[in-house]
Each structure stands twice: as C-alpha cells, then as structure tokens.
Amino acid sequence: MTDHHVLTPQAHADLRVRRERGADYGDAVMSCVTVPDEFRQVQAHYPILFRRNIERGEVVAVALFGFEEGENLFLDGDRWDADYVPLAMSIQPFLIGGAPGAAGDKQVHVDLASPRIAGAEGVRVFDEHARPTPYLETIAEQLGALDAGWQGAASFYAALRRHDLLEPLTFEITLDNGSTHRLVGFHAVNEDRLRGLDASALGDLHAEGHLMPLFMAVASIGNIATLVARKNRRMADG
C-alpha cells in the first residue's frame, strides 16, 4: 500500500525521515530501476540487466542486488555495502509527481505509508522556518536527475531495439554448498552484435550519447561473479 501526497511545508512541517538502511525500511529487494545516465556509477558495483514487457513493448534497465525476490546481498544489517546506492533507492520515500512527459513543473511527492517515515528520531525535511533542509535539497537534486534520466532513456531503449542489441539472459549458478539458483526473465546487451555494428551505426550511437552507457552495461556483467561471491559468503555465514 502507498499513500502519496504532494510535499509542502504547510502539510509536512514536522515530517522526518529515517535515513539508515535495513530490511525494515524497504531495502530488501532483488533489484531496482536504473537509468543510462547513472550506468557509469552503477556498473562499478552492480550488474546492469534489462527487463522487457512484451505486451507493452517497453524495456527498463535494472541494477541487480541478488538472485531471488527479497534478497539484497549489498544489505549488511543497517549498512549498504557499496560506495554508490542507485538513485531509485536513494530517493525513497520521495518521488516525482506528474505523468511522465507531461508539461509543466514536476512536484515532489512523499509516500506517507513508507516505513522510512519517522517520528522524532528521523532527519527533518523542513526547518523551523519552513525552508527545505539540506537533506531535502539533496533529495530534490536526485529526483531531478532520475526524472531527467528516465525521460532521456526512451531514445536509448529505441536504439537497443533498432540495432537488436538485447538478448535473453538465463543462467544457473551453483553455490559452494551445492545449491543452485537460476536467473531468468532478464536480458543483457549482446556483446557480439554490438561489436559487429558498422562504423556508421557506431557513429550514430556515439552521436546520440548511447555508446558509453552500452559499454557500461556490458562491463557490468562482470559483477555477476562478484554477486555470486557475496552469495557464497552470505550462505557460509548462515
């Protein structure tokens, strides 16, 4: 359940948010949405995969945190064990209001049903003069970056379709204890097709700003082995 409201100093003068990490605050998730604009930061830690909605003809990129629903191998108690937390996780419990692509200014919304909504122990959103706190200013910047990235991602996904650069990714991992996990339902950039593009196609991708995110997505696949190692350590620790 969600309870979204436009954030205003009048209605939310005393609102506080818990910033610590933990399963109790919604961080125990297998993946989150990411956008090409942040692929450079994301690929340093997480595999970047893609999900395709066949019925709607949409593609969305995700940062992978684990191998099963509710598993975040970067979550270590109340600590996120990576230097970069994807924007979609950092902004919670806030979001941008308004339909994607709609004209006019976007508004910051807050999900009052989020477990991050706090009492006196959280960080304030507005100060005693009803001005945004530095925390809220940072959130607003992140929301703006995520929204801009989401809007710009449409042309990136169109390029993936135009050059047929995605392929289904299905693989099975065997852990040190003998158990297996099968990852299905994801797509990855087909490196051979990308390498086989002619100079004209590569030039177009570069001119459109898509070549670097593609390289970042390809490079990120190496993080799957690191994720497996995290899973093995987690299993060994009980």
Side-chain angles (χ1 to χ4, degrees), residues 34 38-48 63 84 86 220 223:
T34 183
E38 67 168 344
F39 278 10
R40 182 187 292 273
Q41 293 86 358
V42 170
Q43 66 83 31
H45 303 284
Y46 316 100
I48 299 171
Y84 182 79
S220 77
N223 290 324

Side-chain angles (χ1 to χ4, degrees), residues 9 15 31 36 39 45 55 66 121 166 184 188 205 212 218 224 227:
L15 183 67
S31 64
F39 278 10
H45 303 284
E55 294 180 355
E121 68 277 15
L166 289 185
V184 297
L205 287 170
M212 185 59 72
V218 169
I224 291 179
L227 205 59

Side-chain angles (χ1 to χ4, degrees), residues 35-215:
V35 292
D37 285 354
E38 67 168 344
F39 278 10
R40 182 187 292 273
Q41 293 86 358
V42 170
Q43 66 83 31
H45 303 284
Y46 316 100
I48 299 171
L49 302 178
F50 300 84
R51 282 194 177 276
R52 172 176 282 162
N53 186 315
I54 301 298
E55 294 180 355
R56 300 173 62 181
E58 295 178 348
V59 172
V60 64
V62 298
L64 190 69
F65 306 144
F67 296 108
E68 53 189 302
E69 292 299 327
E71 178 179 71
N72 184 346
L73 296 170
F74 293 89
L75 191 60
D76 183 11
D78 61 355
R79 185 175 69 94
W80 191 290
D81 188 26
D83 294 332
Y84 182 79
V85 179
L87 289 171
M89 300 299 295
S90 294
I91 61 170
Q92 296 178 8
F94 301 97
L95 61 156
I96 286 283
D105 294 336
K106 300 291 180 68
Q107 297 172 309
V108 176
H109 285 216
V110 60
D111 179 11
L112 294 181
S114 168
R116 291 195 172 277
I117 301 301
E121 68 277 15
V123 62
R124 292 191 64 158
V125 174
F126 296 102
D127 66 18
E128 62 272 18
H129 303 294
R131 296 175 302 201
T133 61
Y135 164 67
L136 180 56
E137 290 175 347
T138 297
I139 289 293
E141 291 176 3
Q142 292 176 327
L143 284 168
L146 185 59
D147 186 58
W150 185 260
Q151 301 304 322
S155 63
F156 177 77
Y157 296 138
L160 293 181
R161 292 191 297 270
R162 185 166 65 250
H163 297 289
D164 192 25
L165 289 176
L166 289 185
E167 63 177 346
L169 177 70
T170 300
F171 69 94
E172 188 172 88
I173 64 169
T174 301
L175 301 177
D176 292 345
N177 66 359
S179 64
T180 60
H181 291 266
R182 195 163 182 261
L183 193 66
V184 297
F186 294 97
H187 289 67
V189 174
N190 186 312
E191 191 172 350
D192 290 335
R193 287 185 198 146
L194 178 60
R195 188 184 297 113
L197 293 177
D198 60 27
S200 176
L202 289 172
D204 288 343
L205 287 170
H206 175 67
E208 295 165 357
H210 303 323
L211 203 53
M212 185 59 72
L214 279 167
F215 288 156

